[in-house]
Amino acid sequence: MLHQQVDPKSPRDILTRGINASPGAATGQIVFSSAAAQDAEARGEPCVLVRRETVPEDIRGMHASVAVVTERGGMTSHAAVIARGLGLPCIVGASGISIDPRNRTLRAGERIFREGDVLTIDGTSGEVLAGAARLLEPALDDYFSQLLDWADGIRRIGVRVNADTPSDARTGLRFMAEGIGLCRTEHMFFDEARLPAMREMIFADTAEDRMLALERILPVQRNDFLALFEIMAGRPVTIRLFDPPLHEFLPHDRDGMRELAESLDLPLSDVVRRVEALTEFNPMLGMRGVRLGITIPEIYEMQARAIFEATVAAARKGISFTPEIMIPLVSVGREVELVRARVDSIAAAVRNETNTQFDYRLGVMVETPRAALRAGDFAGQVSFMSYGTNDLTQMTYGLSRDDAGRFMGKYVGQGVYREDPFHILDQDGVGELLSIGLERARGEARHHGLGLRRAWRQSRSIAFCLRIGVDYVSCSPFRVPVARLAAAHETILAEVEEAIPAESRPRS
Amino acid sequence: MLHQQVDPKSPRDILTRGINASPGAATGQIVFSSAAAQDAEARGEPCVLVRRETVPEDIRGMHASVAVVTERGGMTSHAAVIARGLGLPCIVGASGISIDPRNRTLRAGERIFREGDVLTIDGTSGEVLAGAARLLEPALDDYFSQLLDWADGIRRIGVRVNADTPSDARTGLRFMAEGIGLCRTEHMFFDEARLPAMREMIFADTAEDRMLALERILPVQRNDFLALFEIMAGRPVTIRLFDPPLHEFLPHDRDGMRELAESLDLPLSDVVRRVEALTEFNPMLGMRGVRLGITIPEIYEMQARAIFEATVAAARKGISFTPEIMIPLVSVGREVELVRARVDSIAAAVRNETNTQFDYRLGVMVETPRAALRAGDFAGQVSFMSYGTNDLTQMTYGLSRDDAGRFMGKYVGQGVYREDPFHILDQDGVGELLSIGLERARGEARHHGLGLRRAWRQSRSIAFCLRIGVDYVSCSPFRVPVARLAAAHETILAEVEEAIPAESRPRS
């Protein structure tokens, strides 16, 4: 209902069927790389990104595309997960096609397609179609809006949007999100204009050099935030400080390193050594989040300054609000103390420089089991806590989402896991940690949000949030309407349960 | 007291100082690779393994060496951790030397050393010495033995040894360990004689081909177990089923892949593709432990058969005992059900084939937060539960031990972590999960062991184990005497605490 669809009456020239990883349909020219996708977008031409599988660096290419197809991967592969988040039609595991990225050809049986040829991706059925099929616009009509309005009158749990870009924020707002529950700031650093400064920062030997590099990112980042603040017009915006490991910003192949060495005017061996030194055995469990924030404090300082300067700029345009700053991957209370001290002093400096008063709220992202168990250590220091169900699930199970794909099918098939815990919130394990966290923080932290990026599909997850006392859920833009409906649905069910004694209820 | 030491009166030709990662001293010829270490051992020549840093494949080289030095790494680096486990003198982060593995030279200032030159490693002081210093033998004298005997009369907690090899088992027994608490079986597969069969198994396309490859490993593995059973002579032996990800058994460089392609008679591109397909983003959180056991059941079946056949062979030699089989990395109860069904049927088959009765005990390794939270789901199905504090710490903090080295110094220095949680058990977070696990499994699982590999240093950890009701701790062979003393010490303290009301105790 919320996406374009292939007109059922349109003829279909089916090349292959893959896994329907993200619904909706789109038509565009084939591109084989993220760079080509960005070029196509710059030319205003819709494109379909075609890859064997996607990697984190492809995020910009995915942003620039209207649909994604991968030869490999399953429902939990990188492409599938990111595409669902972006609301992009996506087909993964399309093993009937064979992609040759070097020669930029896509082969389907005897047929060969090249860059620029047109495909239609039907992410709802999983069909890859040759040429431009006829598409129907999404039916976001008045009846649907009316239904959502009724839902909003009933539900007792907030719905925010995960938005990193103005376009995400606008979509969320169009679907009546009450604020931004999660603004990830790292994608902003992958932007081609900023990546060189980011890399200079990584290669800097002193705090001064790091600050010089970051000063070049500051104005761009400030504009990123100001744009979001303007769009959200006073609604809450939760910004998560920089989270990913630094090696994600470095090239991993020889050619990329050679280019980087030239641009930084360093010997290739230095670049290779630095890349190797930053490589991690388990990046998920490595030097990221607050660990980076404490070890290289200049990054968070720059981000805090960008947030506060954007807050002042917004105030001067008549938008008054209190930004929410969230610290990722905490596991001990002292991490928050250290970051808070620095952010406080940046706030004082910006107030002083701009002669403007503003407030801010500090919060933590609870995504390690230890953070949930020790929620009481954080609660007194912060205004809010937001529960990241994705990382928390990975750590509680000891299971990387990116690596689980290889056996998840077998595991769910044999009933080892009743359901994929990255799709349906594991109430017994992860859920217990969430309740423990909420219980131990209650009365201290003022509000509690829960990321529903992956668990959104089931209204059961929302029911669980209601039960444990989460104030709002936050999900990707295209999930907002569904979350509003599910929240209302579950609120009604909960009220029915309260009103009717268990023994007189019909069995479900 | 338990290791050789450099005679304080001996002259010292100090090349550099590094981090004293594992105590004791040893003299040997320099080798730059694990292969050279194994060659030296085969020739009966003591050698010192010298590496920039060690990787899991170096385990055999470390076993073959009398000491280890690495240019990089900290107290929690691979080399440091493994060396402590093996009781090998080890210096890490010896940045004053520069190793060129290709040309096989070690440079210290102006001086250059080559393969075969002699070094003395003083792991107690962290000094790398040129030539052979005079060494003093460990003072494991009668007084010490008497002290340990007294300790054994007092302590209320068992002490077992982590032993993968006959040599470890003998050392543990010499130090009076009461059994093997953890026998890791994967090192057995790295043995040069078995690695080819292991790789054939990995490359097999069908279950039949996998079984054919594993059948070649079976007799060797059976002998491994029989040797341990004979040494332990009826004392308990807990064998952990295969745990590591398969890619650890594959070469990662081009040369190694080419060799492997030749030996398997496969195109190089096939080998490269398979290696790539098995590569994981986060191996710690990937396809390992029971996930491998369920996805490729032939491995566990072979291991169960080897254990049972060795049990029968031991019985025929007059050693009667009940082997304990432990399933690693569980997170849901159904994993145990599936493995148990297969192991039971292998047991029945071996009983039938050999016409011999034997029993076995099945247990789980609790090392994911979820396993601790859901301990009640496992307890009814198993005879014992063993708590792996190392992995549990990694997952509870969301922190990989291998990657933590880069910031751990800063973190402990700034008091972010009061102590390195890989050295001192984190009672507040990991400890709570351990108590929850024990609490929820009590009365069901018959006994509870706790791995103290990393947390052994502080008797506080033993005190904690006493408090939460662990039956025994298991540690590396050279830690056994210390653990016995600490256990007695803490037992006395606990009894004092029980006997004297808190208000009349002196303040500590």
Side-chain angles (χ1 to χ4, degrees):
Chain A
M1 205 154 47
L2 303 169
H3 299 277
Q4 287 193 316
Q5 300 294 349
V6 176
D7 183 344
K9 282 169 265 166
S10 162
R12 289 171 175 245
D13 180 1
I14 300 172
L15 291 180
T16 187
R17 276 193 185 81
I19 299 169
N20 47 345
S22 178
T27 297
Q29 296 177 7
I30 297 175
V31 290
F32 292 93
S33 70
S34 284
Q38 289 172 284
D39 291 349
E41 193 197 27
R43 294 193 306 270
E45 294 165 356
C47 65
V48 173
L49 181 63
V50 166
R51 303 278 280 159
R52 284 206 186 132
E53 58 201 333
T54 62
V55 292
E57 289 87 339
D58 285 324
I59 183 80
R60 287 171 292 154
M62 294 180 71
H63 266 284
S65 306
V66 297
V68 180
V69 185
T70 66
E71 196 180 321
R72 303 181 191 153
M75 279 304 276
T76 58
S77 65
H78 178 265
V81 167
I82 299 292
R84 284 197 293 273
L86 297 175
L88 280 186
C90 175
I91 298 172
V92 297
S95 51
I97 57 173
S98 158
I99 294 162
D100 181 345
R102 200 162 298 174
N103 296 313
R104 288 182 281 173
T105 57
L106 179 159
R107 183 187 290 270
E110 298 294 300
R111 299 166 73 177
I112 293 182
F113 295 80
R114 297 176 197 286
E115 199 150 273
D117 288 349
V118 170
L119 293 184
T120 297
I121 303 309
D122 184 347
T124 306
S125 70
E127 289 166 357
V128 180
L129 311 174
R134 198 165 45 240
L135 301 184
L136 301 177
E137 284 305 305
L140 192 62
D141 57 17
D142 289 347
Y143 295 107
F144 189 63
S145 298
Q146 178 63 60
L147 179 65
L148 288 176
D149 282 348
W150 288 337
D152 289 347
I154 292 165
R155 67 187 159 91
R156 285 187 315 205
I157 194 165
V159 176
R160 293 196 189 181
V161 65
N162 296 343
D164 310 345
T165 62
S167 136
D168 286 347
R170 271 187 222 105
T171 308
L173 216 53
R174 186 149 47 94
F175 291 145
M176 307 274 287
E178 291 148 27
I180 294 179
L182 175 64
C183 169
R184 285 164 290 228
T185 53
E186 49 270 16
H187 297 157
M188 302 172 177
F189 291 87
F190 280 112
D191 182 285
E192 225 161 310
R194 308 171 208 188
L195 197 54
M198 189 64 192
R199 290 173 166 178
E200 263 177 50
M201 194 279 291
I202 295 172
F203 275 83
D205 287 320
T206 65
E208 285 71 38
D209 286 350
R210 273 199 293 275
M211 281 166 66
L212 279 177
L214 286 165
E215 263 171 29
R216 288 166 46 207
I217 302 179
L218 172 66
V220 209
Q221 179 109 104
R222 185 175 53 222
N223 286 343
D224 291 331
F225 294 137
L226 181 56
L228 292 179
F229 296 166
E230 289 185 305
I231 293 167
M232 298 311 288
R235 292 175 187 83
V237 176
T238 306
I239 296 166
R240 182 175 75 183
L241 295 172
F242 191 85
D243 184 48
L246 291 181
H247 50 78
E248 286 197 7
F249 296 89
L250 296 179
H252 288 99
D253 60 336
R254 203 78 187 171
D255 286 348
M257 290 194 236
R258 196 169 293 123
E259 267 175 47
L260 181 58
E262 273 167 33
S263 75
L264 293 173
D265 200 18
L266 283 173
L268 177 59
S269 58
D270 279 17
V271 171
V272 172
R273 197 173 312 134
R274 184 66 61 105
V275 170
E276 275 176 10
L278 285 177
T279 300
E280 296 185 299
F281 294 100
N282 294 286
M284 258 291 304
L285 309 177
M287 174 97 147
R288 46 175 282 244
V290 68
R291 295 164 192 163
L292 210 51
I294 284 176
T295 317
I296 307 179
E298 296 82 16
I299 303 176
Y300 280 11
E301 286 177 355
M302 181 279 286
Q303 291 197 297
R305 176 169 282 276
I307 293 168
F308 296 140
E309 290 182 355
T311 304
V312 170
R316 290 190 179 154
K317 294 185 172 191
I319 301 166
S320 99
F321 82 114
T322 303
E324 302 183 342
I325 298 180
M326 182 155 72
I327 313 172
L329 207 73
V330 295
S331 53
V332 300
R334 178 106 178 106
E335 288 169 326
V336 178
E337 279 170 45
L338 289 174
V339 173
R340 193 182 46 183
R342 286 181 181 268
V343 175
D344 272 344
S345 79
I346 300 280
V350 174
R351 282 188 199 108
N352 197 36
E353 292 161 19
T354 60
N355 206 11
T356 307
Q357 287 306 309
F358 57 83
D359 265 335
Y360 81 95
R361 291 193 195 98
L362 192 72
V364 290
M365 186 120 185
V366 176
E367 48 194 338
T368 66
R370 198 178 193 283
L373 291 168
R374 305 300 303 175
D377 297 350
F378 302 108
Q381 301 188 61
V382 298
S383 307
F384 66 95
M385 301 178 83
S386 179
Y387 298 77
T389 48
N390 189 35
D391 274 15
L392 194 58
T393 300
Q394 300 196 73
M395 291 171 194
T396 304
Y397 276 85
L399 180 59
S400 148
R401 199 195 65 214
D402 291 323
D403 299 310
R406 202 174 308 143
F407 61 89
M408 188 59 81
K410 225 169 185 168
Y411 250 56
V412 175
Q414 294 187 26
V416 185
Y417 296 159
R418 256 172 311 169
E419 292 141 330
D420 180 342
F422 296 114
H423 282 131
I424 313 282
L425 185 68
D426 162 44
Q427 297 188 12
D428 292 345
V430 178
E432 180 172 15
L433 283 176
L434 294 173
S435 332
I436 289 175
L438 274 148
E439 181 64 36
R440 294 182 181 179
R442 217 177 303 272
E444 297 269 8
R446 246 177 296 169
H447 64 263
H448 295 271
L450 193 119
L452 270 195
R453 275 197 291 165
R454 251 150 281 284
W456 72 271
R457 274 173 192 274
Q458 291 290 323
S459 58
R460 266 187 285 161
S461 307
I462 301 229
F464 180 77
C465 294
L466 269 171
R467 203 164 69 232
I468 64 173
V470 165
D471 299 299
Y472 65 88
V473 297
S474 188
C475 55
S476 56
F478 286 94
R479 308 296 174 218
V480 168
V482 181
R484 287 163 65 199
L485 281 180
H489 183 78
E490 292 309 319
T491 304
I492 294 170
L493 284 184
E495 282 169 4
V496 167
E497 284 197 17
E498 280 161 28
I500 305 178
E503 56 277 16
S504 27
R505 256 177 266 156
R507 281 167 191 268
S508 63
Chain B
M1 203 154 48
L2 302 169
H3 299 278
Q4 287 193 316
Q5 299 295 349
V6 176
D7 182 347
K9 283 169 263 167
S10 164
R12 288 170 175 247
D13 180 1
I14 300 173
L15 292 180
T16 187
R17 276 193 184 80
I19 299 170
N20 47 346
S22 177
T27 297
Q29 297 177 7
I30 297 175
V31 291
F32 291 93
S33 70
S34 285
Q38 290 173 283
D39 291 348
E41 193 198 26
R43 295 193 307 269
E45 294 165 355
C47 65
V48 173
L49 181 63
V50 166
R51 302 279 280 163
R52 285 209 186 129
E53 59 199 334
T54 62
V55 292
E57 288 87 340
D58 286 324
I59 183 80
R60 287 171 291 155
M62 294 181 71
H63 266 285
S65 307
V66 297
V68 180
V69 185
T70 66
E71 197 180 321
R72 303 182 191 153
M75 281 302 278
T76 56
S77 65
H78 178 265
V81 167
I82 299 292
R84 283 197 293 274
L86 297 175
L88 279 186
C90 175
I91 298 173
V92 296
S95 50
I97 57 174
S98 157
I99 294 162
D100 180 346
R102 201 161 297 175
N103 296 312
R104 288 183 280 175
T105 57
L106 179 157
R107 182 186 289 270
E110 297 294 299
R111 300 167 72 177
I112 292 181
F113 295 80
R114 293 176 201 287
E115 197 150 274
D117 290 349
V118 170
L119 293 185
T120 297
I121 302 309
D122 185 346
T124 307
S125 70
E127 288 166 356
V128 180
L129 310 174
R134 199 163 47 237
L135 301 184
L136 301 177
E137 284 305 305
L140 192 62
D141 57 19
D142 289 347
Y143 294 107
F144 188 64
S145 296
Q146 178 63 62
L147 178 65
L148 288 176
D149 282 349
W150 287 336
D152 289 347
I154 293 164
R155 66 187 160 90
R156 285 188 314 207
I157 193 166
V159 177
R160 292 197 189 181
V161 64
N162 297 343
D164 310 346
T165 64
S167 139
D168 286 348
R170 273 188 221 104
T171 308
L173 216 51
R174 185 149 49 91
F175 292 144
M176 309 273 286
E178 292 149 25
I180 293 178
L182 175 64
C183 169
R184 284 165 290 229
T185 53
E186 49 270 15
H187 297 157
M188 304 173 174
F189 291 88
F190 280 112
D191 181 286
E192 226 160 311
R194 309 172 206 186
L195 197 53
M198 189 63 192
R199 289 172 165 179
E200 263 177 51
M201 193 277 292
I202 295 172
F203 275 83
D205 287 321
T206 65
E208 285 70 38
D209 287 348
R210 273 198 293 274
M211 281 167 66
L212 279 177
L214 285 166
E215 263 171 29
R216 287 165 46 206
I217 301 179
L218 173 66
V220 209
Q221 178 108 102
R222 184 173 54 221
N223 287 342
D224 291 330
F225 295 136
L226 181 56
L228 292 179
F229 296 166
E230 288 184 306
I231 292 167
M232 298 311 289
R235 291 175 189 82
V237 176
T238 306
I239 296 165
R240 181 176 75 183
L241 295 173
F242 191 85
D243 185 48
L246 291 182
H247 49 79
E248 287 197 7
F249 297 88
L250 297 179
H252 289 99
D253 59 336
R254 203 76 188 175
D255 286 349
M257 288 194 236
R258 197 169 294 122
E259 269 175 45
L260 181 58
E262 273 167 32
S263 76
L264 292 173
D265 199 19
L266 283 174
L268 177 59
S269 58
D270 278 17
V271 171
V272 173
R273 196 172 313 132
R274 184 66 61 106
V275 171
E276 274 175 12
L278 284 177
T279 301
E280 295 184 299
F281 294 98
N282 295 286
M284 258 291 305
L285 309 178
M287 173 97 148
R288 47 175 282 244
V290 69
R291 295 164 192 163
L292 210 51
I294 285 176
T295 318
I296 307 181
E298 296 82 16
I299 302 176
Y300 280 11
E301 286 177 354
M302 181 279 286
Q303 290 198 297
R305 175 169 283 275
I307 293 168
F308 296 139
E309 291 182 355
T311 304
V312 170
R316 291 185 179 156
K317 294 182 172 192
I319 302 166
S320 99
F321 82 113
T322 304
E324 301 182 345
I325 298 179
M326 182 155 71
I327 313 171
L329 206 73
V330 295
S331 54
V332 300
R334 178 106 179 109
E335 288 169 326
V336 179
E337 280 171 43
L338 289 175
V339 173
R340 194 181 48 184
R342 285 180 183 269
V343 174
D344 272 344
S345 80
I346 301 280
V350 174
R351 281 188 200 108
N352 197 37
E353 291 160 20
T354 61
N355 206 11
T356 308
Q357 285 307 306
F358 57 84
D359 265 336
Y360 81 96
R361 289 192 195 97
L362 193 71
V364 289
M365 186 121 185
V366 177
E367 49 194 336
T368 66
R370 198 178 193 283
L373 292 168
R374 304 301 304 175
D377 296 349
F378 302 108
Q381 300 189 62
V382 297
S383 307
F384 66 95
M385 300 178 84
S386 180
Y387 298 77
T389 48
N390 190 35
D391 274 15
L392 194 58
T393 300
Q394 301 195 72
M395 291 170 194
T396 304
Y397 276 85
L399 180 59
S400 150
R401 199 194 66 216
D402 292 321
D403 299 310
R406 203 175 306 143
F407 61 89
M408 187 59 81
K410 226 170 185 168
Y411 250 56
V412 175
Q414 295 187 25
V416 184
Y417 295 161
R418 256 174 312 170
E419 293 141 330
D420 179 343
F422 296 115
H423 281 132
I424 313 281
L425 185 68
D426 162 44
Q427 296 188 12
D428 292 345
V430 178
E432 180 172 14
L433 283 177
L434 294 173
S435 332
I436 288 175
L438 274 149
E439 181 64 37
R440 294 183 181 178
R442 216 178 304 274
E444 297 269 7
R446 248 177 295 170
H447 64 262
H448 294 272
L450 191 117
L452 268 196
R453 274 197 292 165
R454 252 150 281 285
W456 72 273
R457 274 173 192 274
Q458 290 291 324
S459 58
R460 264 186 287 160
S461 306
I462 303 232
F464 179 78
C465 293
L466 270 171
R467 203 165 68 235
I468 64 173
V470 165
D471 299 300
Y472 65 88
V473 297
S474 189
C475 54
S476 56
F478 287 94
R479 309 296 175 218
V480 168
V482 182
R484 286 162 64 200
L485 281 179
H489 183 79
E490 291 308 320
T491 304
I492 294 171
L493 284 184
E495 282 169 4
V496 168
E497 284 197 18
E498 280 162 26
I500 307 178
E503 55 278 14
S504 32
R505 256 176 265 157
R507 280 167 193 265
S508 61

